[in-house]
Amino acid sequence: MKKYILLIFIVAVGFVGCEQSDYLIDGGVHDPHVDMTTYEYLQTNPVFDTLVLLIDRAGLQDEINGDVTFFPPTDFSIKNYLDKKGQDTLAQDPFVEWSMEDIPVETLRDSLKMYIVPGKINRTDMVEDTQVYQTLLGNDVGVALIAVDDTYTNQVSTWPEYVYYTFIRGAGLDASGSIPSDEELDVIERAQTSGIQTNTGVIHVLENSHTMFYFIQNHFVEN
């Protein structure tokens, strides 16, 4: 339990810095170029403090700095995961101690690869229809650029365009009309900041409401 509390504290410290950052939900960035590698960019932004710790533990620095597009979850997304996973763990066994350190390194490595797509996907490469790519893990994800009038209603002539990232599970209504379970449904996430071009790759930051690893809470059997 002490390990779990310590990690929560680390995440909380990062949130203090996040509140002072310039991250806003928008249609892109004013100047997309940053003169540093993708990993260096993550290191210099407090919203990714805990994510960098996980990348280091998984040994993914080289992959992050490769010719890739990274859709990083923020520390808020990690906290969402910690809260939900912690509640599920305690519900199954109130005496168990759990922390991110209990995730096997290979499992952590594979889970983070779900956010890394080989090659650079810039906003100029995107269209409204979802394009399917494979991540470094080998699973399919969808990427689209969609104009949305939910922030500047009737105030601008051109709607802002948001990057959408879909974790494809592929299930829908079958022939019998049965409704798929949560773990079978696609998950669509929006980028809160997009099109950051580093010296090595491209970054599209997922919204803080995202739950890292697409974790589904209370997925256990009660007696």
Side-chain angles (χ1 to χ4, degrees):
M1 187 63 71
K2 290 182 179 179
K3 292 188 294 183
Y4 180 75
I5 294 174
L6 176 60
L7 188 52
I8 290 292
F9 174 75
I10 293 173
V11 173
V13 170
F15 293 159
V16 175
C18 294
E19 293 175 356
Q20 299 175 358
S21 70
D22 293 329
Y23 283 95
L24 297 172
I25 296 175
D26 61 12
V29 292
H30 179 65
D31 182 0
H33 301 91
V34 292
D35 188 19
M36 59 186 75
T37 67
T38 296
Y39 182 74
E40 289 171 340
Y41 178 82
L42 298 175
Q43 285 184 306
T44 60
N45 285 266
V47 75
F48 300 120
D49 284 351
T50 307
L51 176 64
V52 169
L53 294 177
L54 298 183
I55 291 172
D56 290 345
R57 181 167 179 256
L60 280 173
Q61 297 94 331
D62 290 342
E63 286 82 353
I64 293 295
N65 272 343
D67 181 24
V68 301
T69 301
F70 190 31
F71 294 82
T74 67
D75 287 354
F76 289 94
S77 296
I78 296 174
K79 184 178 184 300
N80 293 338
Y81 170 79
L82 286 170
D83 289 345
K84 294 177 181 180
K85 177 65 176 178
Q87 291 171 21
D88 271 10
T89 301
L90 290 175
Q92 295 178 75
D93 185 348
F95 302 104
V96 71
E97 292 186 4
W98 180 90
S99 76
M100 293 291 287
E101 295 178 4
D102 294 318
I103 302 177
V105 172
E106 282 303 313
T107 300
L108 177 62
R109 184 180 178 86
D110 287 346
S111 298
L112 288 174
K113 284 182 178 180
M114 292 191 298
Y115 298 100
I116 307 172
V117 177
K120 298 180 179 68
I121 310 173
N122 290 296
R123 288 172 59 89
T124 54
D125 301 318
M126 302 176 189
V127 294
E128 185 172 355
D129 293 332
T130 299
Q131 297 171 289
V132 178
Y133 298 86
Q134 274 200 337
T135 69
L136 286 187
L137 183 61
N139 64 293
D140 290 336
V141 294
V143 179
L145 185 67
I146 302 175
V148 179
D149 182 25
D150 66 347
T151 304
Y152 308 100
T153 305
N154 300 323
Q155 296 180 18
V156 295
S157 58
T158 303
W159 293 353
E161 295 178 314
Y162 293 87
V163 172
Y164 285 84
Y165 188 67
T166 302
F167 178 57
I168 298 175
R169 294 191 174 108
L173 293 177
D174 60 23
S176 65
S178 63
I179 299 175
S181 59
D182 288 344
E183 69 269 18
E184 297 174 317
L185 292 172
D186 294 346
V187 181
I188 303 174
E189 304 285 359
R190 190 164 77 176
Q192 63 180 6
T193 302
S194 61
I196 302 169
Q197 299 173 18
T198 71
N199 292 336
T200 54
V202 178
I203 300 173
H204 306 290
V205 183
L206 297 182
E207 283 189 325
N208 295 329
S209 58
H210 168 65
T211 298
M212 188 176 65
F213 305 153
Y214 306 94
F215 181 77
I216 299 173
Q217 189 176 4
N218 295 330
H219 197 254
F220 57 88
V221 177
E222 296 185 69
N223 295 323

